[in-house]
Amino acid sequence: MNDSLKYLGVILLILGVVCLIVYRYACPVNGLLIASMVLEVSGILAFIFINKALR
């Protein structure tokens, strides 16, 4: 479980980038910008806190 939990932050960051790509090329809706911001910030925080907890 800890092995897959270690990558949660990176997965959230990738999902945020995918939201930005969809915003840029498919449909420019402000909701995608908000979703990508939330995913990016939560991914960074998850990466920091989970990796500190696993050490």
Side-chain angles (χ1 to χ4, degrees):
M1 182 67 182
N2 285 340
D3 293 335
S4 61
L5 185 65
K6 182 170 55 173
Y7 297 112
L8 178 66
V10 176
I11 292 170
L12 290 174
L13 287 173
I14 291 172
L15 287 175
V17 171
V18 168
C19 284
L20 288 174
I21 291 171
V22 169
Y23 171 79
R24 172 70 171 101
Y25 293 109
C27 57
V29 181
N30 287 338
L32 284 173
L33 288 177
I34 294 170
S36 68
M37 180 187 66
V38 169
L39 286 170
E40 295 285 330
V41 170
S42 63
I44 291 170
L45 292 176
F47 183 79
I48 291 170
F49 290 128
I50 290 172
N51 285 325
K52 276 190 176 183
L54 292 178
R55 287 189 183 189

